[in-house]
Amino acid sequence: MIDNSETDAHAIYNAPFMDLLYRAQRVHRAHFEPSTIQCSKLLSIKTGGCPEDCSYCSQSARYDSELSASKMMEVQKVLNEARKAKAAGATRYCMGAAWRSPKARDMPGVLAMVRGVKEMGLETCMTLGMLTDDQAAQLREAGLDYYNHNIDTSERYYAEVITSRTFADRLDTLDRVRAAGINVCSGGIVGMGETADDRIDMLRTLASLEEPPESVPINMLMPMKGTPMADMAPLDPIEMVRTIATARILMPRAYVRLSAGRSEMSDELQALCFFAGANSIFVGDTLLTADNPGEDKDALLFNKLNLRAEVAEATPCPKPAEARAQEQAA
Ligand code: SF4
């Protein structure tokens, strides 16, 4: 029995490593098929020029990250990309915009993207910053399945990472998303100089929401040039595994996503993360701006670990280049 209490969450996170992994894998098997991974594709629909000051982010206009800002993509271009992602095995299409919050003039385009991607039979996810009640309702009406809004870290450490909005602002948007009837995707980033207690408290906050998130991305910081966290020392990867295992145990029904940082991880570390309960990844060469392993590398990893994508036909995910070429030739 888990009560999300401070003592319980600390005891879980700090348990002997083998006990932690064994418990996480048992919880995982009680709720999910252990060799099945949900594959999402992420597209940046509006890159850079963000007014927020998230210390890890190359898209903030406040840092000299050499990233050039772009306008919102045209709807048709987004739909073309979504079609390609579906063909490559993605079941969920996530669209992200570097905004503090969407403006009224942005909404018609954003809603058209949701409708179009939904019509393709893909699950839809968006991350657009803070939302009003009305914007959340419009997104739901258009068919949005998931809204991503990470709490990033513990409430205690939050101001060390972001000062342009508060931890409470994040929770307010999560409430609005939930009230609109949209599934919640919310997680955080490890390796930002936080303590283990911060990682535990971040997970406790998520697990203690009235309804915990359906999707919990756990990102490993990828230090970005020009940002205040550019020179952050790497976190011991075992702490990443402990974070994932604790997320799995505290939120047994959530998809725990092994998100940013996979391009820097060995196959062995990723395998350990999957064993600890991660069962969702982003596929493709890039995330919003950071590197990702790419489809061929993931195809090899999936083959090596006998992992399968979460689709009815059990298509290997992602497909190797050879299979894609055969399909195109057919
Ligand atoms: S993480 Fe999002 S809100 Fe923060 S600076 Fe980057 S794009 Fe803006």
Side-chain angles (χ1 to χ4, degrees):
M1 175 71 189
I2 298 159
D3 62 9
N4 297 340
S5 70
E6 192 172 340
T7 333
D8 209 36
H10 277 76
I12 293 168
Y13 187 96
N14 292 309
F17 192 64
M18 299 310 157
D19 294 349
L20 173 63
L21 286 195
Y22 180 62
R23 183 171 174 187
Q25 179 64 201
R26 284 186 59 175
V27 171
H28 190 48
R29 283 171 184 256
H31 297 92
F32 292 99
E33 202 288 312
S35 294
T36 302
I37 305 290
Q38 188 275 326
C39 295
S40 297
K41 179 81 173 85
L42 180 60
L43 176 72
S44 177
I45 60 168
K46 195 269 165 199
T47 305
C50 181
E52 301 289 283
D53 70 352
C54 312
S55 302
Y56 52 82
C57 183
S58 60
Q59 301 204 69
S60 169
R62 304 179 192 220
Y63 312 132
D64 188 13
S65 64
E66 294 172 14
L67 187 85
S68 37
S70 68
K71 288 189 179 158
M72 187 167 84
M73 280 174 78
E74 287 166 21
V75 175
Q76 276 314 317
K77 280 194 181 157
V78 173
L79 299 186
N80 289 344
E81 293 301 315
R83 238 169 252 120
K84 286 187 221 162
K86 187 179 179 191
T91 55
R92 187 179 306 163
Y93 202 62
C94 306
M95 294 159 271
W99 288 323
R100 175 175 167 83
S101 50
K103 298 197 170 52
R105 64 165 188 260
D106 303 318
M107 288 307 287
V110 159
L111 298 174
M113 290 172 196
V114 174
R115 283 189 210 101
V117 173
K118 186 83 183 159
E119 275 168 18
M120 290 173 204
L122 283 165
E123 285 185 316
T124 52
C125 176
M126 285 218 149
T127 180
L128 310 170
M130 293 182 280
L131 296 180
T132 62
D133 288 333
D134 187 46
Q135 287 169 331
Q138 287 180 50
L139 287 164
R140 178 70 200 122
E141 178 76 28
L144 189 69
D145 296 302
Y146 287 82
Y147 193 78
N148 166 263
H149 201 63
N150 291 336
I151 60 168
D152 289 337
T153 188
S154 68
E155 182 169 14
R156 180 179 45 242
Y157 196 62
Y158 195 82
E160 302 293 322
V161 181
I162 300 150
T163 64
S164 54
R165 54 166 194 267
T166 64
F167 195 75
D169 289 334
R170 290 311 255 189
L171 296 180
D172 285 349
T173 291
L174 291 180
D175 278 351
R176 293 195 175 104
V177 168
R178 183 60 86 198
I182 301 170
N183 292 310
V184 169
C185 172
S186 186
I189 306 174
V190 303
M192 299 192 293
E194 79 286 344
T195 61
D197 284 355
D198 292 314
R199 293 188 282 279
I200 295 164
D201 284 351
M202 172 185 83
L203 296 175
R204 282 183 57 230
T205 298
L206 294 169
S208 308
L209 293 175
E210 208 170 304
E211 273 184 76
E214 282 77 12
S215 176
V216 179
I218 305 291
N219 298 276
M220 175 85 98
L221 178 76
M222 297 186 73
M224 294 287 175
K225 203 175 153 206
T227 65
M229 293 195 177
D231 299 319
M232 189 63 73
L235 180 73
D236 181 340
I238 293 297
E239 295 297 311
M240 173 77 176
V241 182
R242 283 190 182 276
T243 305
I244 287 177
T246 305
R248 167 53 62 224
I249 294 165
L250 292 183
M251 292 169 277
R253 291 185 173 77
Y255 281 84
V256 177
R257 181 176 300 139
L258 185 55
S259 292
R262 282 202 308 122
S263 61
E264 305 302 310
M265 293 180 193
S266 66
D267 286 356
E268 295 87 333
L269 176 56
Q270 291 188 66
L272 212 45
C273 290
F274 293 135
F275 191 75
N279 61 344
S280 173
I281 59 167
F282 282 123
V283 293
D285 295 332
T286 49
L287 299 175
L288 286 173
T289 57
D291 288 344
N292 204 42
E295 286 160 12
D296 291 340
K297 227 170 157 199
D298 278 341
L300 286 173
L301 179 64
F302 271 55
N303 282 339
K304 219 189 273 190
L305 302 179
N306 311 100
L307 297 175
R308 304 193 77 78
E310 189 195 65
V311 284
E313 318 88 81
T315 311
C317 168
K319 294 178 187 174
E322 203 183 315
R324 292 200 307 275
Q326 279 170 5
E327 276 181 7
Q328 277 159 14

